[in-house]
Amino acid sequence: NAGVTQTPKFQVLKTGQSMTLQCAQDMNHNSMYWYRQDPGMGLRLIYYSASEGTTDKGEVPNGYNVSRLNKREFSLRLESAAPSQTSVYFCASSFLNQPQHFGDGTRLSIL
Amino acid sequence: GESVGLHLPTLSVQEGDNSIINCAYSNSASDYFIWYKQESGKGPQFIIDIRSNMDKRQGQRVTVLLNKTVKHLSLQIAATQPGDSAVYFCAERAGDYKLSFGAGTTVTVRA
């Protein structure tokens, strides 16, 4: 049972480079989410997709874009990476109003 | 900003003792609460949830208590084991499916 799979697990970028983080789930969930986690803080919602074909901004969307490619896949793109975007990124999925299931994260460093 | 927070950032517990992790929330409209466990290098893992029409819910070795009068949530872990060492997050939801997370409590189990 794969659950939520995120790729890559680690990435180092230079300021100004672009990058797409991939996320796929095999639980047939309708909703998918992207969070970032910074040291000593809880998770903050970047974007979410309530269902296939829809995306909405969360708490910290600036500097990011998302694509809900199909029901299984939800990608997060950094068009021009900045050091402030150094973080651990988590993807999650769920049925509506049910607990979210998380992947193991992508650790992103921007120099 | 965050509306969910934990009273203590760290908790040290003797193996075999019971653990109590506390969480305060400020949004009186929140109707769903959830606890996650996060081990080092992993994504958050669902432990237990509770809806606002309940004040107690039990799982395997865990109990969640909800006091809506004082906006307080707690997670009790019975007979704490070394494998319980992790960061524990509470999260709340107010009407939609977006979760707001607290900053987390790091639990260390002493042998």
Side-chain angles (χ1 to χ4, degrees):
Chain A
N1 294 335
V4 178
T5 302
Q6 293 184 236
T7 55
K9 295 188 186 305
F10 302 92
Q11 185 69 48
V12 179
L13 295 177
K14 295 181 180 178
T15 297
Q17 287 185 316
S18 61
M19 169 84 190
T20 299
L21 280 60
Q22 306 288 351
C23 175
Q25 53 94 7
D26 63 2
M27 295 173 282
N28 202 35
H29 287 160
N30 303 98
S31 303
M32 297 186 74
Y33 313 82
W34 276 105
Y35 294 87
R36 61 177 290 172
Q37 184 176 36
D38 299 299
M41 298 181 70
L43 285 81
R44 291 184 292 169
L45 183 65
I46 305 171
Y47 270 94
Y48 65 100
S49 171
S51 60
E52 187 178 356
T54 68
T55 60
D56 287 286
K57 295 179 180 179
E59 182 185 353
V60 289
N62 292 345
Y64 305 96
N65 286 299
V66 291
S67 295
R68 184 73 183 267
L69 305 171
N70 48 56
K71 190 171 187 179
R72 292 185 61 249
E73 298 173 289
F74 188 38
S75 63
L76 178 72
R77 184 163 178 83
L78 287 71
E79 289 291 351
S80 179
S84 62
Q85 294 177 304
T86 293
S87 189
V88 183
Y89 292 86
F90 288 99
C91 177
S93 69
S94 72
F95 290 116
L96 198 63
N97 295 330
Q98 295 297 313
Q100 295 178 19
H101 296 260
F102 287 82
D104 282 337
T106 293
R107 284 145 187 81
L108 183 61
S109 294
I110 299 161
L111 307 176
Chain B
E2 291 186 342
S3 62
V4 178
L6 289 162
H7 290 308
L8 292 174
T10 62
L11 178 66
S12 180
V13 181
Q14 186 69 39
E15 182 178 357
D17 287 352
N18 296 335
S19 303
I20 299 176
I21 306 166
N22 295 304
C23 180
Y25 65 95
S26 59
N27 190 346
S28 58
S30 293
D31 62 356
Y32 175 73
F33 304 87
I34 189 166
W35 282 98
Y36 283 95
K37 172 186 180 182
Q38 186 177 24
E39 297 176 271
S40 181
K42 298 287 189 179
Q45 178 184 5
F46 169 76
I47 303 173
I48 192 167
D49 59 359
I50 187 168
R51 300 190 187 275
S52 59
N53 61 352
M54 303 172 68
D55 53 20
K56 180 179 180 179
R57 192 168 186 215
Q58 289 184 290
Q60 186 176 11
R61 278 202 309 120
V62 295
T63 300
V64 56
L65 299 177
L66 175 62
N67 185 330
K68 294 181 289 293
T69 302
V70 295
K71 299 194 195 68
H72 183 267
L73 187 71
S74 68
L75 177 70
Q76 300 178 2
I77 305 173
T80 310
Q81 303 169 359
D84 295 326
S85 292
V87 180
Y88 290 81
F89 293 96
C90 65
E92 65 174 323
R93 188 188 68 207
D96 59 15
Y97 35 83
K98 292 182 288 183
L99 293 176
S100 293
F101 284 81
T105 291
T106 300
V107 173
T108 302
V109 180
R110 306 188 307 272

